[in-house]
mmCIF file of all heavy atoms in Angstrom:
data_model
loop_
_atom_site.group_PDB
_atom_site.id
_atom_site.type_symbol
_atom_site.label_atom_id
_atom_site.label_comp_id
_atom_site.label_asym_id
_atom_site.label_seq_id
_atom_site.Cartn_x
_atom_site.Cartn_y
_atom_site.Cartn_z
ATOM 1 N N SER A 141 40.374 -8.430 -10.506
ATOM 2 C CA SER A 141 40.234 -9.684 -11.185
ATOM 3 C C SER A 141 41.374 -9.783 -12.331
ATOM 4 O O SER A 141 42.040 -8.878 -12.790
ATOM 5 C CB SER A 141 38.849 -9.905 -11.769
ATOM 6 O OG SER A 141 38.631 -8.961 -12.896
ATOM 7 N N PRO A 143 40.882 -11.020 -15.808
ATOM 8 C CA PRO A 143 39.969 -11.477 -16.959
ATOM 9 C C PRO A 143 40.607 -12.310 -17.950
ATOM 10 O O PRO A 143 40.021 -13.289 -18.444
ATOM 11 C CB PRO A 143 39.465 -10.202 -17.578
ATOM 12 C CG PRO A 143 39.640 -9.089 -16.443
ATOM 13 C CD PRO A 143 40.896 -9.543 -15.756
ATOM 14 N N GLU A 144 41.739 -12.044 -18.431
ATOM 15 C CA GLU A 144 42.486 -12.836 -19.515
ATOM 16 C C GLU A 144 42.615 -14.249 -18.973
ATOM 17 O O GLU A 144 42.482 -15.153 -19.727
ATOM 18 C CB GLU A 144 43.700 -12.219 -19.938
ATOM 19 C CG GLU A 144 44.371 -12.952 -21.069
ATOM 20 C CD GLU A 144 45.757 -12.270 -21.602
ATOM 21 O OE1 GLU A 144 46.646 -12.153 -20.697
ATOM 22 O OE2 GLU A 144 45.684 -11.966 -22.810
ATOM 23 N N ARG A 147 38.700 -15.665 -17.980
ATOM 24 C CA ARG A 147 37.825 -15.655 -19.166
ATOM 25 C C ARG A 147 38.270 -15.860 -20.405
ATOM 26 O O ARG A 147 37.606 -15.827 -21.455
ATOM 27 C CB ARG A 147 36.797 -14.319 -19.189
ATOM 28 C CG ARG A 147 36.012 -14.226 -17.853
ATOM 29 C CD ARG A 147 35.250 -12.905 -17.922
ATOM 30 N NE ARG A 147 34.543 -12.751 -16.699
ATOM 31 C CZ ARG A 147 34.876 -11.730 -15.791
ATOM 32 N NH1 ARG A 147 35.962 -10.983 -15.964
ATOM 33 N NH2 ARG A 147 34.116 -11.620 -14.715
ATOM 34 N N ASN A 148 39.704 -15.801 -20.516
ATOM 35 C CA ASN A 148 40.391 -15.903 -21.815
ATOM 36 C C ASN A 148 40.113 -14.705 -22.704
ATOM 37 O O ASN A 148 40.177 -14.845 -24.019
ATOM 38 C CB ASN A 148 40.146 -17.254 -22.555
ATOM 39 C CG ASN A 148 41.299 -17.686 -23.418
ATOM 40 O OD1 ASN A 148 42.326 -17.292 -23.317
ATOM 41 N ND2 ASN A 148 40.823 -18.301 -24.618
ATOM 42 N N ASP A 149 39.883 -13.670 -22.134
ATOM 43 C CA ASP A 149 39.565 -12.379 -22.867
ATOM 44 C C ASP A 149 39.660 -11.198 -21.932
ATOM 45 O O ASP A 149 39.410 -11.318 -20.660
ATOM 46 C CB ASP A 149 38.271 -12.372 -23.566
ATOM 47 C CG ASP A 149 38.077 -11.245 -24.628
ATOM 48 O OD1 ASP A 149 39.089 -10.790 -25.116
ATOM 49 O OD2 ASP A 149 36.899 -11.032 -24.991
ATOM 50 N N GLY A 150 40.091 -10.099 -22.395
ATOM 51 C CA GLY A 150 40.151 -8.862 -21.529
ATOM 52 C C GLY A 150 41.497 -8.605 -21.137
ATOM 53 O O GLY A 150 42.358 -9.307 -21.489
ATOM 54 N N PRO A 151 41.763 -7.612 -20.291
ATOM 55 C CA PRO A 151 43.116 -7.404 -19.691
ATOM 56 C C PRO A 151 43.694 -8.337 -18.768
ATOM 57 O O PRO A 151 42.935 -9.271 -18.341
ATOM 58 C CB PRO A 151 42.910 -6.039 -18.962
ATOM 59 C CG PRO A 151 41.451 -6.164 -18.501
ATOM 60 C CD PRO A 151 40.757 -6.922 -19.561
ATOM 61 N N ASN A 153 44.809 -7.534 -15.889
ATOM 62 C CA ASN A 153 44.184 -7.177 -14.553
ATOM 63 C C ASN A 153 43.164 -6.180 -14.763
ATOM 64 O O ASN A 153 43.242 -5.340 -15.723
ATOM 65 C CB ASN A 153 45.277 -6.644 -13.629
ATOM 66 C CG ASN A 153 46.014 -7.602 -12.909
ATOM 67 O OD1 ASN A 153 45.642 -7.971 -11.776
ATOM 68 N ND2 ASN A 153 47.181 -8.297 -13.406
ATOM 69 N N LEU A 154 42.218 -6.213 -13.958
ATOM 70 C CA LEU A 154 41.161 -5.198 -13.955
ATOM 71 C C LEU A 154 40.963 -4.708 -12.430
ATOM 72 O O LEU A 154 40.662 -5.597 -11.655
ATOM 73 C CB LEU A 154 39.897 -5.777 -14.484
ATOM 74 C CG LEU A 154 38.604 -4.852 -14.439
ATOM 75 C CD1 LEU A 154 38.915 -3.640 -15.164
ATOM 76 C CD2 LEU A 154 37.372 -5.618 -14.823
ATOM 77 N N ILE A 163 42.111 -0.855 -16.527
ATOM 78 C CA ILE A 163 42.474 -1.977 -17.310
ATOM 79 C C ILE A 163 44.021 -1.913 -17.237
ATOM 80 O O ILE A 163 44.610 -0.956 -17.454
ATOM 81 C CB ILE A 163 41.827 -2.106 -18.691
ATOM 82 C CG1 ILE A 163 42.314 -0.919 -19.622
ATOM 83 C CG2 ILE A 163 40.332 -2.120 -18.637
ATOM 84 C CD1 ILE A 163 43.247 -1.361 -20.496
ATOM 85 N N VAL A 183 46.043 -3.053 -25.387
ATOM 86 C CA VAL A 183 45.388 -2.167 -24.407
ATOM 87 C C VAL A 183 43.998 -1.620 -25.079
ATOM 88 O O VAL A 183 42.967 -1.530 -24.325
ATOM 89 C CB VAL A 183 46.265 -1.025 -24.027
ATOM 90 C CG1 VAL A 183 45.666 0.136 -23.241
ATOM 91 C CG2 VAL A 183 47.594 -1.571 -23.336
ATOM 92 N N LEU A 184 44.049 -1.236 -26.192
ATOM 93 C CA LEU A 184 42.895 -0.795 -26.874
ATOM 94 C C LEU A 184 41.742 -1.860 -27.020
ATOM 95 O O LEU A 184 40.596 -1.627 -26.813
ATOM 96 C CB LEU A 184 43.031 -0.301 -28.300
ATOM 97 C CG LEU A 184 44.021 1.013 -28.390
ATOM 98 C CD1 LEU A 184 44.342 1.353 -29.835
ATOM 99 C CD2 LEU A 184 43.276 2.234 -27.737
ATOM 100 N N HIS A 185 42.259 -3.083 -27.200
ATOM 101 C CA HIS A 185 41.170 -4.275 -27.144
ATOM 102 C C HIS A 185 40.663 -4.401 -25.961
ATOM 103 O O HIS A 185 39.504 -4.642 -25.687
ATOM 104 C CB HIS A 185 41.989 -5.509 -27.672
ATOM 105 C CG HIS A 185 41.161 -6.686 -27.506
ATOM 106 N ND1 HIS A 185 40.060 -7.100 -28.291
ATOM 107 C CD2 HIS A 185 40.972 -7.663 -26.530
ATOM 108 C CE1 HIS A 185 39.545 -8.202 -27.732
ATOM 109 N NE2 HIS A 185 40.027 -8.529 -26.674
ATOM 110 N N SER A 186 41.459 -4.304 -24.807
ATOM 111 C CA SER A 186 41.009 -4.493 -23.477
ATOM 112 C C SER A 186 39.944 -3.372 -23.069
ATOM 113 O O SER A 186 39.046 -3.527 -22.363
ATOM 114 C CB SER A 186 42.157 -4.486 -22.424
ATOM 115 O OG SER A 186 42.891 -5.588 -22.657
ATOM 116 N N LEU A 187 40.221 -2.046 -23.505
ATOM 117 C CA LEU A 187 39.309 -0.917 -23.309
ATOM 118 C C LEU A 187 38.073 -1.453 -23.913
ATOM 119 O O LEU A 187 36.924 -1.140 -23.361
ATOM 120 C CB LEU A 187 39.912 0.354 -23.747
ATOM 121 C CG LEU A 187 40.953 0.908 -22.894
ATOM 122 C CD1 LEU A 187 41.642 2.044 -23.582
ATOM 123 C CD2 LEU A 187 40.317 1.347 -21.646
ATOM 124 N N VAL A 188 37.937 -1.730 -25.181
ATOM 125 C CA VAL A 188 36.794 -2.097 -25.899
ATOM 126 C C VAL A 188 36.106 -3.225 -25.130
ATOM 127 O O VAL A 188 34.819 -3.299 -25.028
ATOM 128 C CB VAL A 188 37.060 -2.537 -27.393
ATOM 129 C CG1 VAL A 188 35.690 -3.026 -28.069
ATOM 130 C CG2 VAL A 188 37.578 -1.307 -28.151
ATOM 131 N N TRP A 189 36.862 -4.252 -24.821
ATOM 132 C CA TRP A 189 36.326 -5.336 -23.905
ATOM 133 C C TRP A 189 35.522 -4.914 -22.738
ATOM 134 O O TRP A 189 34.518 -5.239 -22.464
ATOM 135 C CB TRP A 189 37.295 -6.318 -23.575
ATOM 136 C CG TRP A 189 36.984 -7.404 -22.548
ATOM 137 C CD1 TRP A 189 36.331 -8.475 -22.842
ATOM 138 C CD2 TRP A 189 36.944 -7.235 -21.190
ATOM 139 N NE1 TRP A 189 36.178 -9.232 -21.691
ATOM 140 C CE2 TRP A 189 36.473 -8.511 -20.556
ATOM 141 C CE3 TRP A 189 37.424 -6.287 -20.214
ATOM 142 C CZ2 TRP A 189 36.334 -8.752 -19.270
ATOM 143 C CZ3 TRP A 189 37.434 -6.503 -18.928
ATOM 144 C CH2 TRP A 189 36.808 -7.715 -18.354
ATOM 145 N N TYR A 190 36.095 -3.887 -21.977
ATOM 146 C CA TYR A 190 35.637 -3.385 -20.770
ATOM 147 C C TYR A 190 34.239 -2.597 -21.190
ATOM 148 O O TYR A 190 33.253 -2.789 -20.543
ATOM 149 C CB TYR A 190 36.450 -2.330 -20.162
ATOM 150 C CG TYR A 190 36.019 -1.826 -18.958
ATOM 151 C CD1 TYR A 190 36.173 -2.233 -17.583
ATOM 152 C CD2 TYR A 190 35.313 -0.394 -19.042
ATOM 153 C CE1 TYR A 190 35.607 -1.679 -16.576
ATOM 154 C CE2 TYR A 190 34.821 0.222 -17.949
ATOM 155 C CZ TYR A 190 35.005 -0.407 -16.621
ATOM 156 O OH TYR A 190 34.382 0.154 -15.509
ATOM 157 N N GLN A 191 34.290 -1.775 -22.233
ATOM 158 C CA GLN A 191 33.021 -1.094 -22.678
ATOM 159 C C GLN A 191 31.849 -2.051 -23.040
ATOM 160 O O GLN A 191 30.725 -1.741 -22.892
ATOM 161 C CB GLN A 191 33.421 -0.142 -23.777
ATOM 162 C CG GLN A 191 34.354 1.045 -23.363
ATOM 163 C CD GLN A 191 34.909 1.724 -24.583
ATOM 164 O OE1 GLN A 191 34.933 1.229 -25.640
ATOM 165 N NE2 GLN A 191 35.505 2.821 -24.255
ATOM 166 N N ASN A 192 32.306 -3.103 -23.640
ATOM 167 C CA ASN A 192 31.196 -4.141 -23.991
ATOM 168 C C ASN A 192 30.726 -4.891 -22.795
ATOM 169 O O ASN A 192 29.616 -5.317 -22.862
ATOM 170 C CB ASN A 192 31.799 -5.133 -25.144
ATOM 171 C CG ASN A 192 32.050 -4.510 -26.409
ATOM 172 O OD1 ASN A 192 31.337 -3.400 -26.698
ATOM 173 N ND2 ASN A 192 32.864 -5.111 -27.188
ATOM 174 N N TYR A 193 31.588 -5.148 -21.891
ATOM 175 C CA TYR A 193 31.264 -5.932 -20.779
ATOM 176 C C TYR A 193 30.557 -5.329 -19.523
ATOM 177 O O TYR A 193 29.678 -5.753 -18.869
ATOM 178 C CB TYR A 193 32.641 -6.643 -19.981
ATOM 179 C CG TYR A 193 32.380 -7.653 -19.134
ATOM 180 C CD1 TYR A 193 31.953 -8.969 -19.619
ATOM 181 C CD2 TYR A 193 32.511 -7.571 -17.799
ATOM 182 C CE1 TYR A 193 31.641 -10.028 -18.877
ATOM 183 C CE2 TYR A 193 32.328 -8.621 -16.884
ATOM 184 C CZ TYR A 193 32.021 -9.849 -17.390
ATOM 185 O OH TYR A 193 31.799 -10.893 -16.551
ATOM 186 N N PHE A 194 30.853 -4.043 -19.388
ATOM 187 C CA PHE A 194 30.346 -3.109 -18.280
ATOM 188 C C PHE A 194 29.394 -2.017 -18.746
ATOM 189 O O PHE A 194 29.706 -1.280 -19.685
ATOM 190 C CB PHE A 194 31.339 -2.436 -17.427
ATOM 191 C CG PHE A 194 32.238 -3.479 -16.651
ATOM 192 C CD1 PHE A 194 33.562 -3.990 -17.211
ATOM 193 C CD2 PHE A 194 31.802 -3.902 -15.430
ATOM 194 C CE1 PHE A 194 34.200 -4.940 -16.557
ATOM 195 C CE2 PHE A 194 32.735 -4.781 -14.714
ATOM 196 C CZ PHE A 194 33.830 -5.390 -15.225
#
Side-chain angles (χ1 to χ4, degrees):
S141 63
E144 186 176 58
R147 299 183 182 105
N148 203 29
D149 195 17
N153 273 267
L154 174 63
I163 58 103
V183 173
L184 291 172
H185 169 79
S186 293
L187 285 167
V188 171
W189 171 87
Y190 180 90
Q191 292 166 346
N192 290 337
Y193 194 78
F194 292 94

